[in-house]
């Protein structure tokens, strides 16, 4: 709150001094420090041209700066420097201020110091040392979004939606995801103990894991049945497109393909180029895959199934694929762990009616983060735009609604235990793309109805007691994607073969009472 400076407020004398009140004369001593800080901060911002870039203001940079707020910031800065119980370095205060500015915007904007910047580069390269989990934050706790396949975390039994309450001896409440990653990663062969709280269980679980070199295999594939191919993408990385092309070519060499299942479940996303290339493998050349819209002209872009958009090296591995992949009947599997690049692919194939989307509602991460370097080792990750499907549907905080809703298990789903974008504090809302034509948005009414079905299903799930949830979790083994016991995969194969697909358990009664509700 800004202080009123035009009229001083006078308090009546009191024999007792509030412990938080300023000592006599402190304000006078701080004023020169505050003014110097305000001038220094203003000078830095002017030199960087932040106001001119961010606000596109026609005034001079100095005039565009919020000087009153900067004075308030300088007052706080000076108070800390002069009165905090321990000496604090200027560098730390400025770094924390920058981090606070960015983290207060939305869950995905962040300051990347040297360590965080390096971690981001390791993530996109697909190899690092650690235990193998994707994490987020919920109510101040570190939450497991999903364990990475064939890693120490998955083998030990860590599950999606587990809350990490301790990493080693350090409590995990209140720490950032960057700090959590730093604590969990380390030299392969060293041990790490983490304590997790699991929904429905009264006591935490303690896991002792041995760190390993985590090599995220971006693509794997198999012929699950004669004539029916299966390809799974775990994360969109630099090598995802050429790797997918290689796998698809190998599948085609094994004989005629009658149907293809593309599995994007628990795929947290990754590089945009990967999503564009994967979409291009199945769509006609140069059709629209996704578009972005933001405040600035360079944030308003259209991305097509074109090598110029998805290939950085100038080659085109997708161009050499057998022609069958442009027409073969296709199902895309998604769930609450399918996010970002996964949702771009699913939305593009759905809008172009190239594939049937099957599973549960996706995560809903439809915002664009741009890396803006501050130096050779630091940067900021700033949300600059929203993603839209080819028909103009917003992905942000909504996700992709499957054409066919199918639970992860035959006895029902517990998707309300999974965190989605809309559950994150400070998330951006969805926004209709300017100029979008409602007539070109596909069967939106049908999709909204399916989304309502899942919402109704979730409400029923929430009525389960902790003991009922615990009982279900005790009796369930984690899904091994692509295996013979993969329920959603079996329903995808049924759809490709023209057989009935199982309805979600908790919506069967509602579906039976509605004659217009069909599941094919």
């Amino acid at each position: 709150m800004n202080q009123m400076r035009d009229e001083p407020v006078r308090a009546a004398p009191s024999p007792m001094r509030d412990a938080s009140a300023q000592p006599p004369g402190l304000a006078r001593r701080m004023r020169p420090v505050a003014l110097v800080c305000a001038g220094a901060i203003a000078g830095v911002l002017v030199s960087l041209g932040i106001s001119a870039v961010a606000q596109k203001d026609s005034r001079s940079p100095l005039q565009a700066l919020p000087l009153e707020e900067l004075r308030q910031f300088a007052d706080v800065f000076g108070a800390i420097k002069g009165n905090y119980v321990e000496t604090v370095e200027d560098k730390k205060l400025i770094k924390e201020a920058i981090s606070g500015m960015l983290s207060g915007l939305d869950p995905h904007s962040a300051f990347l110091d040297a360590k965080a910047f390096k971690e981001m580069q390791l993530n996109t390269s697909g190899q690092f040392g650690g235990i193998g989990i994707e994490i987020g934050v919920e109510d101040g706790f570190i939450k497991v979004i999903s364990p990475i396949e064939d890693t120490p975390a998955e083998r030990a039994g860590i599950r999606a939606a587990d809350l990490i309450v301790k990493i080693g001896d350090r409590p995990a409440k209140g720490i950032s995801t960057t700090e959590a990653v730093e604590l969990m990663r380390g030299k392969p062969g060293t041990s790490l103990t983490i304590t997790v709280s699991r929904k429905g269980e009264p006591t935490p679980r303690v896991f002792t894991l041995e760190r390993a070199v985590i090599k995220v295999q971006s693509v794997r594939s198999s012929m699950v049945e004669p004539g029916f191919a299966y390809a799974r993408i775990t994360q969109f990385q630099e090598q995802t497109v050429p790797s997918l092309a290689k796998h698809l070519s190998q599948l085609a060499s094994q004989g005629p393909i009658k149907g293809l299942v593309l599995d994007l479940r628990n795929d947290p996303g990754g590089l945009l180029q990967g999503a564009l290339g994967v979409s291009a493998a199945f769509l006609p050349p140069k059709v629209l895959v996704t578009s972005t819209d933001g405040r600035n002209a360079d944030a308003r872009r259209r991305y097509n199934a074109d090598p110029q958009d998805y290939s950085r090296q100038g080659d085109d591995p997708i161009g050499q694929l057998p022609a069958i992949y442009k027409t073969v009947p296709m199902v895309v599997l998604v769930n609450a762990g399918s996010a970002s690049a996964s949702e771009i692919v699913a939305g593009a194939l759905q809008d172009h009616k190239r594939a049937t989307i099957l599973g549960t509602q996706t995560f809903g991460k439809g915002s664009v983060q741009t890396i803006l370097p501050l130096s050779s080792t630091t940067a900021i990750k700033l949300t600059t735009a929203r993603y839209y499907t080819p028909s103009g549907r917003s992905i942000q905080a909504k996700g992709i609604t499957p054409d066919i809703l199918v639970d992860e298990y035959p006895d029902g789903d517990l998707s309300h235990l999974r965190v989605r974008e809309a559950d994150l504090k400070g998330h951006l809302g969805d926004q209709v793309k300017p100029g979008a034509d409602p007539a070109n948005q596909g069967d939106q009414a049908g999709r909204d109805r399916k989304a309502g079905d899942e919402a109704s299903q979730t409400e029923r799930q929430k009525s389960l007691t902790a003991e009922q949830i615990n009982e279900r979790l005790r009796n369930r083994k984690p899904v091994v994607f692509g295996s013979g016991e993969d329920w959603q995969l079996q329903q995808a194969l049924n759809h490709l073969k023209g057989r009935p697909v199982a309805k979600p358990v908790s919506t069967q009664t509602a579906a039976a009472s509605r004659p217009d509700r069909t599941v094919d």
Side-chain angles (χ1 to χ4, degrees):
M1 183 181 296
N2 293 333
Q3 298 177 350
M4 294 181 64
R5 296 180 181 272
D6 55 339
E7 182 178 351
V9 178
R10 303 183 185 277
S14 171
M16 299 182 63
R17 179 188 298 168
D18 186 347
S20 63
Q22 294 181 347
L26 176 59
R28 288 195 302 272
R29 294 197 302 272
M30 283 177 54
R31 186 170 182 81
V33 176
L35 290 175
V36 170
C37 291
I41 294 167
V44 170
L45 293 177
V46 170
S47 66
L48 292 176
I50 288 177
S51 291
V53 174
Q55 300 180 25
K56 302 295 183 184
D57 202 306
S58 60
R59 299 171 292 170
S60 69
L62 184 58
Q63 290 175 319
L65 287 170
L67 294 179
E68 183 65 24
E69 286 74 16
L70 285 174
R71 288 192 188 98
Q72 188 178 53
F73 176 85
D75 287 342
V76 175
F77 188 94
I80 295 172
K81 290 292 294 181
N83 299 279
Y84 187 65
V85 65
E86 296 179 351
T87 301
V88 186
E89 293 183 356
D90 294 351
K91 183 177 181 180
K92 174 177 173 59
L93 287 176
I94 296 297
K95 175 183 173 182
E96 295 299 332
I98 294 172
S99 296
M101 272 195 292
L102 289 159
S103 63
L105 297 174
D106 64 77
H108 306 294
S109 294
F111 172 64
L112 304 178
D113 60 15
K115 288 184 178 180
F117 199 20
K118 185 176 180 181
E119 290 292 340
M120 184 196 69
Q121 294 169 322
L122 286 173
N123 285 337
T124 57
S125 68
Q127 181 172 319
F128 53 88
I131 60 173
I133 55 173
E134 299 284 345
I135 60 173
V137 177
E138 181 177 292
D139 295 330
F141 286 101
I142 300 299
K143 186 167 188 175
V144 178
I145 301 299
S146 65
I148 299 172
E149 293 181 31
D150 194 28
T151 62
E154 187 198 44
R155 291 192 291 268
I158 292 176
R159 297 179 178 176
D162 283 347
L163 291 179
I164 299 176
V165 295
K166 287 181 70 176
I167 302 174
D169 294 328
R170 180 171 175 179
K173 184 172 176 60
I175 69 174
S176 66
T177 55
T178 300
E179 291 175 295
V181 167
E182 289 178 3
L183 291 169
M184 288 188 285
R185 289 190 179 173
K187 185 177 179 180
T190 59
S191 64
L192 173 68
T193 300
I194 64 172
T195 305
V196 306
S197 174
R198 182 168 292 171
K199 181 77 173 181
E201 296 189 1
T203 58
R205 293 192 178 204
V206 179
F207 295 88
T208 300
L209 310 171
E210 183 176 297
R211 295 183 179 94
V213 175
I214 308 299
K215 296 180 179 179
V216 181
Q217 186 178 353
S218 179
V219 182
R220 61 184 178 87
S221 65
S222 64
M223 294 294 290
V224 289
E225 291 184 14
F228 292 92
Y230 171 86
R232 170 160 175 75
I233 300 176
T234 59
Q235 188 175 349
F236 289 85
Q237 302 168 354
E238 293 175 356
Q239 296 301 313
T240 296
V241 175
S243 180
L244 177 67
K246 179 180 179 181
H247 278 265
L248 293 179
S249 295
Q250 290 174 345
L251 290 170
S253 68
Q254 298 179 36
I257 296 178
K258 301 176 184 178
L260 170 69
V261 177
L262 178 64
D263 190 352
L264 301 179
R265 291 172 296 177
N266 284 359
D267 183 332
L271 298 178
L272 173 61
Q273 284 76 13
L276 300 176
V278 169
S279 301
F282 309 107
L283 292 173
K286 299 186 177 182
V287 300
L288 181 64
V289 174
T290 188
S291 61
T292 61
D293 190 78
R295 288 176 58 201
N296 301 328
D298 55 1
R300 296 189 283 272
R301 292 281 306 276
R302 293 170 62 87
Y303 297 93
N304 302 316
D306 190 321
Q308 292 184 352
D309 284 340
Y310 64 75
S311 178
R312 291 180 175 178
Q313 307 299 326
D315 57 345
D316 183 15
I318 298 303
Q320 307 302 317
L321 282 175
I324 183 65
Y325 288 112
K326 300 293 185 183
T327 58
V328 64
M330 186 175 174
V331 170
V332 178
L333 293 176
V334 296
N335 65 3
S338 306
S340 191
S342 301
E343 295 172 293
I344 290 173
V345 174
L349 297 180
Q350 185 179 58
D351 276 7
H352 288 295
K353 303 187 184 304
R354 177 62 191 87
T356 298
I357 313 301
L358 185 148
T360 57
Q361 191 82 7
T362 62
F363 184 82
K365 200 275 185 181
S367 59
V368 183
Q369 280 67 51
T370 302
I371 306 301
L372 303 174
L374 300 178
S375 69
S376 60
T377 57
T378 61
I380 62 172
K381 183 172 66 170
L382 188 67
T383 300
T384 55
R386 290 177 172 86
Y387 282 118
Y388 295 87
T389 69
S391 66
R393 290 184 292 145
S394 173
I395 295 173
Q396 175 59 25
K398 296 176 68 174
I400 301 299
T401 302
D403 300 304
I404 304 176
L405 291 173
V406 174
D407 294 327
E408 289 192 350
Y409 293 87
D411 63 344
D413 197 37
L414 292 174
S415 63
H416 69 286
L417 299 179
R418 300 289 296 270
V419 64
R420 288 186 169 98
E421 176 78 9
D423 301 318
L424 300 179
K425 184 179 180 180
H427 70 273
L428 291 177
D430 69 296
Q431 189 175 84
V432 176
K433 185 177 181 181
D437 184 356
N440 294 328
Q441 300 211 9
D443 185 15
Q444 192 60 49
R447 289 175 183 139
D448 288 344
R449 186 176 66 191
K450 289 182 175 67
D453 285 344
E454 181 165 281
S456 176
Q457 175 185 355
T458 299
E459 289 304 313
R460 292 185 180 91
Q461 293 164 349
K462 287 181 179 178
S463 67
L464 296 174
T465 65
E467 181 55 36
Q468 288 173 321
I469 292 173
N470 195 27
E471 183 66 22
R472 283 196 183 187
L473 292 175
R474 278 199 298 265
N475 295 330
R476 284 182 173 178
K477 296 180 180 179
V479 178
V480 179
F481 294 140
S483 70
E485 298 178 354
D486 185 340
W487 175 251
Q488 289 176 321
L489 174 59
Q490 297 309 311
Q491 303 315 305
L493 293 173
N494 284 343
H495 177 72
L496 289 172
K497 297 173 183 177
R499 298 174 181 174
V501 174
K503 303 181 184 72
V505 169
S506 54
T507 60
Q508 286 181 12
T509 302
S513 65
R514 232 180 19 232
D516 63 330
R517 173 68 160 87
T518 60
V519 177
D520 46 4

